[in-house]
Amino acid sequence: MNKPNYQEARVRTKNKVNVRHYEIEESAKQVGIGKKYYLRTYGCQMNEHDSENICAMLEQMGFTETNDVKDADLVLLNTCSIRENAHNKAYGMLGRLKHMKATKKDLIVGLCGCMAQEEGVVNTILTKYKWVNFAFGTHNLDKLPEIITKAIEENKQNIDVVSEEGDVVEDIPVKRASTIKAYVNIIYGCDKFCTYCIVPYTRGKQRSRRHQDILKEVNELKDEGYQEVTLLGQNVNAYGKDLDDNYGMEDLLEDVAKTGIPRIRFVTSHPWDFTDRMIEVIAKYPNIMKSVHLPVQSGSSRILKLMGRRYTKEEYISLFDKLRKIPNMHISTDIIVGFPGETEEDFEETLALAKYCKFDNAYTFIFSEREGTPACKLPNKVPEEVKEERLQRLNAVMNQYFLESNQKLLDKEFNVLVDGKNETGKTSLSGYLENNKLINFDGPDELVGKIVKVKVTEAKTWSLNGKLV
Ligand code: SAH
Ligand code: SF4
Ligand code: F3S
C-alpha cells in the first residue's frame, strides 16, 4: 500500500522531471473482458481529459463503457478536491454505491483523481470505506491497469497513491469525448501554492511536456480533422520554465498556431507569468482564439497578498488593459469571496474591480477551507452568511456585464464552430464563437463539426441566439 502525505506533497526539488512511457502488461488486457465500467468525472478540464485516458485504458483491459451505473461491474469516480462541495458530491456517490454493493457483491468500486491524493481522504477510505476496492492518484494514472488487476486478483483493498513531485508520462491511450474539439496537456502540476488552493498538493510539481511531443499530438489531431485544441494546464503561462531548452509559452503558442489547426484555446493563465510577447503572439495569429481566462481572485491587494497571488490590483489591471486592446478580446475570470480577513472594504474593492473590468464571463466562488493549505490557519474567518451575501452582490454586478457583453454582439456576424445538436431542443444546433460565447441556432445536422457564419439575433446573460447566414 502507498499512502499520500501532505508534507511530502509540499516538497519541490530541483530534480529533473522524468519522462516515462505508458506500458500495459499483456495479462491486464484480459481482466475486463465481458465486464462493463461506469466512470463519473468531477472537477476541471484536466480531470475530464484524464477521464478520456482512463476510458481508453479500461477499454484496453477489455471493459466496455456503460452510462447506467446499475449495469456496471466496475465503477470509478474521478474526483475533485477544489471546494467542499466537490468532496460532498463524491462522498454522496460513494454512499449510493455502498447500497448497490450490498446487493451486488462482485461490484468493484474505485476512487481516483485529486481526492485520492489527499492524505485525509485516504485515511477516511481506509477506516470508514473499507469496502472501496482501490484508489490511485493523479501521479500514477498510467498504472491503472496494474492497480485494478491487483485489486481484482487479490480481492482486497488496494490503495496505491504516491505523494511525489510526479513524472511526465507519454503515450497513454485516449478515447476522446469529441471528434471536433480536443484537450492537449501542455503542463502538469502547479508550483504557485496560492494559500487557499489544494491543487499543488494533488497535482504535484509543475512539469512541462516536451514541445516536440505536444506539437506531434496537435499535428495528429489536425490530420484527424479536429477543428479545435485547448492547451491545458493549471498555469499554462509557466509552460517551459522547468525545461532547459529556452522555449516558453510564446514559442509554443506560435508553433501550435503554425500547424494550421483552425482554433486554439488555452486555460488557465495565471497573471503572474503573462508576458508582452505572449500578448503579441495572441494578437498576431487568427487561429489563436481571442479569449483569455485570467483569474483575479480578489480586487484587494491586501487580500491578494494573503492569497499568495504575487500581483497587486494595479498590476492585474495593467495586464487586463493590454489584453483588452486586442480587437474582440474576451476576458473571463475567477473570483473568491470570503477569504479569511476579507473586510467589507476589501470586498468593495473587488466590486469596483469587477465594474472596471466588465468581464465577459466569470466563475465566482465562496472561499472553502481545504485541509493542509496555509489559509486554514489564517485568522478572522468570514461568517457563512456574510460570504453568501457577498457572493450574491458580486453576481448581481457581474451578470449585468455578461449581458452587456453579449448585447454588443447583436446583429453582427461571427464564425461559429458547430459542436453539436442543441441540448435544450429549442433550436437544432449550438456552437461557440471565437470569443467562446455559446450560440444556439437552427441548421442542418451536416454542419456539426464545421465552422459557419452566424448572425446574432438575441442576447441573453449566458448565451446567444442566432441565425445561419
Ligand atoms: N490554476 C487556476 C485555477 C484552478 S482552480 C488559476 O490559478 O487560475 C479554479 C478556481 O477555483 C480558482 O481560480 C479559484 O477561484 C477557485 N478556488 C480554488 N481554491 C478554492 C478554495 N479553496 N475555495 C474557493 N474557491 C477556490
Ligand atoms: Fe491553485 Fe494558484 Fe496553482 Fe491556480 S495557480 S492551481 S489557484 S495554486
Ligand atoms: Fe479539481 Fe483537481 Fe481540477 S482539485 S479543479 S480536479 S486539478
Side-chain angles (χ1 to χ4, degrees):
M1 177 173 71
N2 287 311
K3 270 175 65 180
N5 168 306
Y6 288 127
Q7 227 144 28
E8 282 170 24
R10 207 170 285 141
V11 173
R12 293 294 185 268
T13 66
K14 294 234 178 304
N15 294 346
K16 261 193 91 164
V17 171
N18 182 27
V19 180
R20 285 193 280 126
H21 289 267
Y22 171 77
E23 279 170 284
I24 177 168
E25 297 265 340
E26 276 309 308
S27 57
K29 292 187 181 165
Q30 314 296 320
V31 171
I33 291 175
K35 297 195 176 98
K36 290 187 184 153
Y37 74 90
Y38 173 87
L39 173 65
R40 172 76 67 92
T41 308
Y42 305 87
C44 64
Q45 287 116 318
M46 219 148 304
N47 250 19
E48 281 173 33
H49 188 38
D50 285 350
S51 281
E52 295 182 327
N53 292 133
I54 292 170
C55 288
M57 287 187 278
L58 289 171
E59 292 181 18
Q60 264 191 345
M61 294 177 74
F63 289 97
T64 51
E65 190 170 16
T66 172
N67 293 322
D68 182 358
V69 66
K70 293 195 285 304
D71 228 17
D73 303 289
L74 167 78
V75 179
L76 185 52
L77 307 184
N78 188 12
T79 59
C80 169
S81 310
I82 203 81
R83 283 169 291 274
E84 197 185 345
N85 59 0
H87 264 207
N88 292 346
K89 280 186 207 157
Y91 279 125
M93 186 66 186
L94 281 180
R96 258 183 80 192
L97 291 169
K98 187 179 180 186
H99 280 289
M100 279 180 59
K101 227 178 143 142
T103 52
K104 194 173 178 182
K105 289 270 178 290
D106 295 340
L107 180 69
I108 297 164
V109 176
L111 191 83
C112 66
C114 286
M115 277 173 73
Q117 286 293 150
E118 288 189 70
E119 185 182 327
V121 172
V122 168
N123 284 336
T124 308
I125 297 294
L126 284 167
T127 52
K128 298 202 185 117
Y129 294 80
K130 291 201 171 99
W131 53 271
V132 169
N133 299 75
F134 65 91
F136 60 90
T138 60
H139 297 350
N140 54 357
L141 181 75
D142 62 304
K143 298 282 183 233
L144 171 148
E146 214 175 288
I147 294 165
I148 296 185
T149 303
K150 199 165 162 210
I152 294 176
E153 280 173 1
E154 296 183 2
N155 196 22
K156 64 173 199 229
Q157 199 175 51
N158 182 16
I159 305 290
D160 195 347
V161 185
V162 282
S163 286
E164 55 183 19
E165 293 178 315
D167 298 333
V168 167
V169 190
E170 293 296 341
D171 307 324
I172 305 186
V174 57
K175 181 189 175 192
R176 297 191 186 270
S178 159
T179 52
I180 303 163
K181 307 201 282 193
Y183 291 129
V184 175
N185 283 324
I186 64 167
I187 181 168
Y188 301 96
C190 180
D191 285 353
K192 286 285 186 279
F193 286 99
C194 302
T195 58
Y196 51 82
C197 184
I198 192 80
V199 172
Y201 307 85
T202 62
R203 291 273 169 178
K205 171 168 158 166
Q206 179 174 292
R207 49 208 198 276
S208 305
R209 278 179 81 192
R210 292 182 312 193
H211 66 266
Q212 295 87 345
D213 293 326
I214 299 170
L215 291 168
K216 183 168 156 259
E217 186 174 344
V218 174
N219 275 311
E220 283 166 4
L221 289 164
K222 186 189 160 217
D223 293 344
E224 284 168 35
Y226 276 85
Q227 299 292 309
E228 181 175 303
V229 289
T230 300
L231 308 178
L232 282 184
Q234 284 303 341
N235 174 18
V236 289
N237 299 33
Y239 175 78
K241 291 195 169 190
D242 53 305
L243 298 174
D244 43 22
D245 56 1
N246 209 5
Y247 184 101
M249 186 60 181
E250 305 83 345
D251 306 298
L252 181 68
L253 264 183
E254 191 150 31
D255 282 344
V256 173
K258 283 182 186 158
T259 64
I261 190 130
R263 287 183 165 203
I264 301 151
R265 301 189 187 279
F266 51 94
V267 280
T268 299
S269 297
H270 188 297
W272 171 253
D273 294 306
F274 227 116
T275 62
D276 286 347
R277 223 193 107 214
M278 223 184 116
I279 299 176
E280 281 165 28
V281 172
I282 296 170
K284 179 172 165 193
Y285 290 91
N287 56 346
I288 301 181
M289 296 296 96
K290 305 300 177 259
S291 162
V292 173
H293 188 60
L294 194 69
V296 63
Q297 313 298 1
S298 168
S300 153
S301 296
R302 196 182 71 81
I303 294 295
L304 286 170
K305 190 147 193 247
L306 287 174
M307 288 176 161
R309 287 294 286 183
R310 311 176 196 209
Y311 52 82
T312 61
K313 171 177 76 179
E314 290 75 19
E315 283 162 343
Y316 182 89
I317 288 179
S318 142
L319 172 62
F320 179 93
D321 287 342
K322 281 188 216 166
L323 281 167
R324 263 284 192 243
K325 288 207 183 91
I326 300 178
N328 298 318
M329 179 52 100
H330 172 284
I331 306 175
S332 54
T333 201
D334 291 344
I335 295 180
I336 299 175
V337 299
F339 188 78
E342 184 188 75
T343 61
E344 176 60 25
E345 289 71 38
D346 292 317
F347 175 68
E348 279 169 16
E349 283 196 70
T350 299
L351 282 181
L353 180 117
K355 284 178 187 162
Y356 176 86
C357 293
K358 300 189 170 58
F359 292 104
D360 298 284
N361 200 355
Y363 299 94
T364 53
F365 307 104
I366 284 182
F367 168 70
S368 170
E369 206 170 85
R370 307 320 293 136
E371 192 180 281
T373 63
C376 291
K377 298 201 187 82
L378 289 176
N380 304 320
K381 302 208 185 319
V382 179
E384 280 311 312
E385 61 279 12
V386 176
K387 287 186 192 168
E388 289 283 352
E389 184 246 5
R390 285 183 189 162
L391 184 72
Q392 281 176 21
R393 279 160 69 198
L394 178 63
N395 285 345
V397 170
M398 304 286 271
N399 291 354
Q400 162 202 337
Y401 295 124
F402 308 158
L403 181 62
E404 277 179 23
S405 153
N406 281 348
Q407 281 167 337
K408 281 193 206 132
L409 309 176
L410 272 173
D411 300 323
K412 297 194 181 116
E413 291 175 10
F414 295 95
N415 289 327
V416 171
L417 171 58
V418 187
D419 59 10
K421 301 198 186 171
N422 183 356
E423 285 165 12
T424 68
K426 286 189 188 135
T427 60
S428 56
L429 299 175
S430 70
Y432 286 86
L433 271 56
E434 294 190 347
N435 67 13
N436 216 14
K437 297 271 189 189
L438 171 68
I439 190 159
N440 299 310
F441 56 99
D442 276 320
D445 289 359
E446 307 87 83
L447 294 183
V448 172
K450 304 228 158 59
I451 294 176
V452 296
K453 277 250 184 299
V454 180
K455 186 174 183 174
V456 177
T457 53
E458 190 187 352
K460 299 192 277 187
T461 304
W462 303 109
S463 65
L464 304 162
N465 286 335
K467 208 168 151 252
L468 206 56
V469 180

